[in-house]
Amino acid sequence: MRVTVLLFGRLHDLAGLRELECEVPREAAVSAVWQAVTGRFPAVAPYARSVSAAVNAEFVKMTTAVDEGDEVAFLPPVAGG
Amino acid sequence: MRVTVLLFGRLHDLAGLRELECEVPREAAVSAVWQAVTGRFPAVAPYARSVSAAVNAEFVKMTTAVDEGDEVAFLPPVAGG
Amino acid sequence: MSDRRLAIGPHVLDVGELAALVAGDEPGAHGAVVTFVGTVRNLNQGRRVIRLEYEAYEPLALRAFAIIRDEVAAHWPSARVAFHHRTGPIALGEASVAIAAASPRRADAFAACRYVIERLKQIAPVWKHEYFEDGDVWIEGAVADPSDEKAKEEAFRRSCA
Amino acid sequence: MSDRRLAIGPHVLDVGELAALVAGDEPGAHGAVVTFVGTVRNLNQGRRVIRLEYEAYEPLALRAFAIIRDEVAAHWPSARVAFHHRTGPIALGEASVAIAAASPRRADAFAACRYVIERLKQIAPVWKHEYFEDGDVWIEGAVADPSDEKAKEEAFRRSCA
């Protein structure tokens, strides 16, 4: 199934884009989407331990399952304020 | 010698005035001025333990000596803010 | 459900507006209003910043803001908070974040205001891109996880409640 | 020596003006500005206040303000503070005191701002006269003694430095 992936902050600099489509197996977890992203853009792989994620603009765990058409966002460590 | 006394807050309500002249002995302390005030206005006497004082717009102790013409202010407990 | 008290976007911040939003309608209902404004600094770790941009994931930021607002309500039921975060390029000296907190008790207003900025720094999906004479850097702080109890406790501790 | 950052009188308070005074001239020199506004409350210990007046010994108040400003400078050398107190009749919901504190570090700005309001309540020669439907009362708080070390420590403790 297909999901939309959003990359923020330094992740989009490293990947060279902000948004992409990913094919992942049915019932894939967010972590599988991340694997697909790092497969295409090895430069983002060092963020494996510090990345967090959101699905359809809700914070989720990497173990959360995604659905067809979901918007999956990967967030490097934040620096608001 | 003569000093000017200022009474603030509830003290002037109790005394019925905000400013008065007091005769005190040479080298009198602020506490002697307070005694003179309570002699004239016994209603303020209960403030003996909570009153603080200033001479010529500087905070002082009750033991500080006053001079001819000084402005001696008596301050009930404060409530700024 | 829209809440004018929570916003993120490229508009210039107005902390006075936020203070008015939390001060309430009834005259004198709140005794204390505390505000915080974070401005863009011209120095970061000894380097002179010449330009700066904030990027945000806006819909998720609004979720994070609502989470923070609800945490404040749980800790300080009498406190009301409003806060806006700016995005895009921000000139040096201008505000990137503005917070207002009101409560009948000043201790609660201070604590709620401080808690909001601590939590924003922990979980708001906002990223800061600093440009220097000779390069640029993405500032990265906390791993954003609203359910991290240790982070919440640290924010609460810093708010000195 | 006049200092626009410290004032007491019957004028309406403008906390935005105070924030601008401490924010400094150099763009981005200060990272955090915290303000406090104390507004007149319509309830005091269960009684409905209908009118309220502040009285002050203004020259001594300015001395007290300078003492507080200097204590802040000793505790938080990077912080700058400005604060104004209003006197005379004040309508419910209006501000009686406004404080602004700026520092490169938000912890210092919060602490300095909180310290100022705690010290003002301890030593500023200001008295509050509250009028109710059925009477009036002079609110009395602390015995004003700037040299009282215990009071200073309590204010410092509350500022959570």
Side-chain angles (χ1 to χ4, degrees), chain D residues 28-151:
Chain D
H30 282 81
V33 178
V34 173
T35 71
F36 173 85
V37 172
T39 56
V40 171
R41 292 170 61 184
N42 57 0
L43 284 174
N44 191 352
Q45 296 170 356
R47 299 175 81 188
R48 185 159 290 270
V49 178
I50 54 174
R51 196 163 71 78
L52 182 143
E53 276 182 40
Y54 277 92
E55 174 182 312
Y57 182 21
E58 296 195 3
L60 186 65
L62 290 175
R63 276 296 299 141
F65 291 6
I67 288 168
I68 294 168
R69 174 200 60 200
D70 293 347
E71 288 173 359
V72 167
H75 281 308
W76 300 280
S78 73
R80 299 199 275 188
V81 294
F83 45 101
H84 290 181
H85 203 299
R86 189 168 168 190
T87 57
I90 305 187
L92 298 181
E94 287 192 351
S96 54
V97 62
I99 304 166
S103 168
R105 298 180 59 247
R106 68 183 179 283
D108 291 353
F110 272 102
C113 188
R114 180 77 189 268
Y115 185 83
V116 170
I117 183 61
E118 297 301 327
R119 287 297 273 160
L120 282 175
K121 285 179 175 281
Q122 288 176 345
I123 69 168
V126 175
W127 298 273
K128 181 158 58 167
H129 201 170
E130 287 185 348
Y131 297 83
F132 308 96
E133 289 284 344
D134 56 348
D136 67 281
V137 65
W138 282 96
I139 306 298
E140 296 184 340
V143 175
D145 178 3
S147 66
D148 179 344
E149 291 296 332
K150 279 214 176 127

Side-chain angles (χ1 to χ4, degrees), chain B:
Chain B
M1 68 184 187
R2 181 174 290 254
V3 297
T4 301
V5 172
L6 305 179
L7 300 175
F8 288 95
R10 191 154 168 259
L11 294 181
H12 70 63
D13 272 8
L14 292 169
L17 43 68
R18 290 171 188 272
E19 187 172 337
L20 61 148
E21 302 290 310
C22 268
E23 276 293 327
V24 289
R26 287 218 159 271
E27 297 180 18
V30 171
S31 57
V33 182
W34 175 252
Q35 289 305 321
V37 172
T38 58
R40 258 171 83 178
F41 307 105
V44 308
Y47 279 86
R49 285 158 173 243
S50 61
V51 76
S52 52
V55 171
N56 301 331
E58 293 283 348
F59 289 98
V60 297
K61 304 283 182 196
M62 295 300 272
T63 51
T64 301
V66 297
D67 276 333
E68 170 81 35
D70 276 353
E71 181 177 274
V72 182
F74 291 110
L75 323 171
V78 298

